[in-house]
């Protein structure tokens, strides 16, 4: 798997509206997109910082992975994952990860937020969980989560004219 850059950092938040206000008024960032991802039971908000995106994630149901993450984190939000863009496909990255002994949560890529195809994987490294995500045909992203309770993942984004369009 050939990683090209950090695609985004996923941050779980208990209240998306309050978090957006903070990122805009205190940090001076602009939310460029909000999206509900029904099968993941989350609402997301995206910000751009240089070439990297920040993805805020709020649970839409108590059963969502994000709700469980926040609950395990004492009701506070926190860094959920870091996604790396890769130059090979998600399916290829999943196969390579599995070949290296990493437990796959998803056996195949699926649709995620912001035009990404995602596939979650899990590998415990001390207190760090590793995950990966894939970008379109020739890119994939991997995620490392810092808290032991975080879930890792793979994701993909359709790349138009050889660049990521925001």
């Amino acid at each position: 798997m050939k990683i090209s850059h950090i695609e985004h950092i996923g941050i779980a938040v208990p209240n998306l509206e309050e978090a957006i206000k903070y990122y805009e008024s205190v940090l001076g960032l602009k939310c460029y997109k909000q999206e509900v991802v029904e099968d993941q039971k989350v609402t997301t908000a995206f910000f751009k910082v240089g070439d990297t995106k920040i993805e805020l994630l709020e649970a839409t149901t108590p059963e969502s992975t994000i709700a469980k993450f926040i609950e395990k984190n004492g009701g506070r939000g926190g860094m959920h994952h870091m996604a790396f863009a890769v130059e090979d496909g998600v399916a290829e990255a999943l196969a390579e990860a599995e070949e290296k002994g990493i437990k796959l949560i998803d056996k195949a890529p699926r649709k995620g937020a912001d035009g990404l195809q995602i596939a979650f994987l899990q590998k415990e490294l001390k207190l760090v969980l590793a995950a990966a995500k894939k970008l379109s045909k020739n890119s994939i992203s991997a995620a490392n989560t810092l808290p032991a309770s975080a879930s890792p993942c793979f994701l993909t984004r359709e790349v138009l004219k050889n660049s990521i369009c925001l």
Side-chain angles (χ1 to χ4, degrees):
M1 160 176 3
K2 187 174 178 184
I3 295 172
S4 64
H5 65 280
I6 296 172
E7 206 286 326
H8 74 267
I9 297 169
I11 301 171
V13 297
N15 184 305
L16 189 60
E17 185 177 322
E18 288 179 13
I20 290 171
K21 285 180 187 175
Y22 176 84
Y23 277 75
E24 291 185 334
S25 66
V26 176
L27 301 178
L29 301 175
K30 178 70 178 145
C31 177
Y32 71 84
K33 182 177 187 176
Q34 290 185 52
E35 179 180 353
V36 174
V37 184
E38 292 186 27
D39 68 324
Q40 293 180 32
K41 301 177 179 102
V42 297
T43 300
T44 64
F46 288 91
F47 299 83
K48 185 89 170 161
V49 181
D51 290 335
T52 304
K53 296 182 292 186
I54 295 175
E55 176 189 33
L56 302 181
L57 303 120
E58 178 187 52
T60 57
T61 70
E63 300 82 31
S64 80
T65 302
I66 295 301
K68 292 173 186 173
F69 173 85
I70 289 171
E71 183 181 333
K72 288 179 184 177
N73 199 25
R76 298 179 315 273
M79 184 174 152
H80 185 261
H81 62 270
M82 184 182 309
F84 298 96
V86 297
E87 294 182 3
D88 42 5
V90 175
E92 293 84 358
L94 284 170
E96 183 178 336
E98 187 171 40
E99 191 176 283
K100 291 180 177 179
I102 295 174
K103 178 184 173 191
L104 304 182
I105 294 171
D106 292 313
K107 298 291 184 188
R110 59 186 165 106
K111 186 184 180 310
D114 203 28
L116 299 171
Q117 291 298 309
I118 68 169
F120 289 81
L121 62 92
Q122 188 171 6
K123 173 73 177 165
E124 289 189 33
L125 303 171
K126 298 181 183 175
L127 296 178
V128 178
L129 295 178
K133 303 181 179 186
K134 178 206 170 202
L135 297 175
S136 82
K137 293 181 186 174
N138 296 326
S139 58
I140 188 159
S141 63
N144 284 330
T145 54
L146 298 178
S149 60
S151 284
C153 59
F154 269 113
L155 59 83
T156 349
R157 174 176 180 94
E158 288 307 314
V159 179
L160 304 175
K161 298 180 183 174
N162 297 324
S163 63
I164 295 174
C165 303
L166 301 177

